[in-house]
Amino acid sequence: MEAVGHSLAFGEWQHWPAEQTAAVREFLHSWWAYSLTTPEVAVPAYEVLTLCAEASGTLTPWLDVWASLSDPVADRRLTETVAYWGPDLLGDELPWLTQQDERARCAELAAWLARHAPARLRAAGAPEQLLHWVRLLGLPQPARWDDPYWDDHSY
């Protein structure tokens, strides 16, 4: 999905005529909301997030939408995302290829998860391992790897 996002970004859709720019923006926002709130989707929400972030050049508005949703499906999508991306993020690696500042994006995503995910993961009945991963994302290096969690676990 990042390739689709890259293609949109390279096409400079944000500089197209206003009506076309609005159509692309509406499409991205609609697909993002749909991926977060629809029980059965063809494309996982984390892949749609990748597309939206790459196409728009920013993570912030997409994460803001997710934070604003009080929805059990959106919470399940968060669980899926942490399960899929957690190991990469714990290693301070963005889980997709980006044309932007990878380090800044990774830090923004990790900080957002550490702040917004714990209560939602608990509400969704996420495995304890995911809760630990999110907690660890909130720790700076090397404290993350010095944490007692690793005495009994590996990823």
Side-chain angles (χ1 to χ4, degrees), residues 4-151:
V4 176
H6 295 160
S7 294
L8 281 168
F10 289 142
E12 298 184 347
W13 68 272
Q14 294 169 330
H15 301 290
W16 295 353
E19 186 175 299
Q20 294 170 345
T21 298
V24 173
R25 185 175 290 113
E26 182 178 340
F27 169 76
L28 293 174
H29 282 277
S30 295
W31 194 7
W32 179 230
Y34 179 84
S35 76
L36 292 175
T37 59
T38 304
E40 299 297 324
V41 292
V43 179
Y46 53 82
E47 289 189 19
V48 177
L49 176 59
T50 298
L51 180 148
C52 292
E54 290 304 309
S56 66
T58 181
L59 270 169
T60 305
W62 314 106
L63 295 176
D64 289 348
V65 167
W66 209 344
S68 73
L69 292 174
S70 177
D71 184 283
V73 175
D75 294 347
R76 262 197 333 269
R77 297 292 178 255
L78 189 56
T79 300
E80 294 164 2
T81 298
V82 172
Y84 194 75
W85 284 352
D88 289 327
L89 293 170
L90 283 170
D92 286 331
E93 294 181 19
L94 192 65
W96 70 86
L97 297 174
T98 185
Q99 302 298 314
Q100 307 297 316
D101 181 347
E102 181 176 350
R103 187 172 289 180
R105 285 214 169 167
C106 186
E108 179 181 4
L109 183 56
W112 186 89
L113 287 169
R115 187 171 52 252
H116 293 279
R120 297 176 80 161
L121 291 176
R122 278 188 205 88
E128 283 296 313
Q129 181 180 32
L130 301 185
L131 291 165
H132 285 293
W133 286 359
V134 167
R135 180 184 60 78
L136 292 168
L137 286 174
L139 299 177
Q141 297 285 4
R144 183 180 302 166
W145 299 110
D146 292 338
D147 191 89
Y149 171 78
W150 299 114
D151 293 342

